[in-house]
Amino acid sequence: MIVMDSGRSRFQFRTAALIRANGHLLIHRGTTEPFWSLPGGRVEFQEATTETLAREIEEEIGCRAAIGPLRFVIENFFTLDGRTVHEVGFYYETELLRPMPFHENEVVHRCRDGSNDLEFRWIRPTAGTLDEYDLKPFPLRALIAGTSSDIITHLVYRDHAT
């Protein structure tokens, strides 16, 4: 995977999916994390972001996916576990090729990814709900709640003092 560490700093290249069903958005988190994110993973060397996303969805959810158009590119700067992170993320509209279980108020899928236990759930993509689940990176909340065009959005966001 494309991750570079230098002292207490890290660079990583990630891709993630906007998966929608029944007016809801699929999110996931590591069970030890207080925040949620969109399903996806780190890009491997010599792997296109769409290939990474298809592979990650198959590994974590257990089904194939059709990767649609690129919606957002976010350069995200944040601190996690005492490490400053610079993450470049590509976010794609994505459709699962077979339906995933749906329940509005419960975790619908769990899996093990390396040493992490992940859980997935559906939420309404409203500003209040995205805030309630502390969806990361932060700018996704406004982008998801207000997306209605085919324009790709590129943002740089720093979630820590420099």
Side-chain angles (χ1 to χ4, degrees), residues 56-115:
E56 288 285 344
I57 289 170
E58 193 156 4
E59 289 173 2
E60 295 176 0
I61 298 175
C63 76
R64 296 182 48 169
I67 310 304
L70 178 65
R71 288 291 182 226
F72 317 121
V73 176
I74 298 177
E75 291 182 66
N76 190 25
F77 296 83
F78 58 97
T79 303
L80 182 63
D81 299 330
R83 173 177 280 182
T84 58
V85 181
H86 174 185
E87 176 182 88
V88 174
F90 282 41
Y91 297 85
Y92 291 91
E93 292 290 343
T94 302
E95 183 179 340
L96 300 177
L97 296 184
R98 70 170 170 71
M100 186 168 182
F102 181 86
H103 193 285
E104 191 168 18
N105 300 312
E106 295 179 10
V107 169
V108 295
H109 179 71
R110 288 184 171 86
C111 72
R112 185 126 178 111
D113 183 35
S115 61

Side-chain angles (χ1 to χ4, degrees), residues 2 11-18 39-58 65-74 87-94 152:
I2 301 176
F11 171 83
Q12 59 190 24
F13 187 20
R14 185 172 190 276
T15 185
L18 293 144
R42 294 186 188 116
V43 178
E44 298 282 349
F45 285 100
Q46 303 302 312
E47 185 177 56
T49 54
T50 54
E51 295 167 340
T52 298
L53 195 50
R55 175 182 52 77
E56 288 285 344
I57 289 170
E58 193 156 4
I67 310 304
L70 178 65
R71 288 291 182 226
F72 317 121
V73 176
I74 298 177
E87 176 182 88
V88 174
F90 282 41
Y91 297 85
Y92 291 91
E93 292 290 343
T94 302
I152 295 171

Side-chain angles (χ1 to χ4, degrees), residues 24-30 33-38 103-108 119-138 140-141 144:
H24 288 67
L25 179 71
L26 187 67
I27 60 174
H28 84 315
R29 72 173 176 177
E33 299 294 339
F35 61 89
W36 294 76
S37 61
L38 296 177
H103 193 285
E104 191 168 18
N105 300 312
E106 295 179 10
V107 169
V108 295
E119 60 186 13
F120 295 74
R121 71 176 305 134
W122 296 101
I123 63 166
R124 291 199 178 278
T126 62
T129 304
L130 297 169
D131 286 343
E132 177 185 336
Y133 284 91
D134 194 17
L135 184 72
K136 302 286 187 186
F138 181 79
L140 273 175
R141 300 174 198 186
I144 290 169

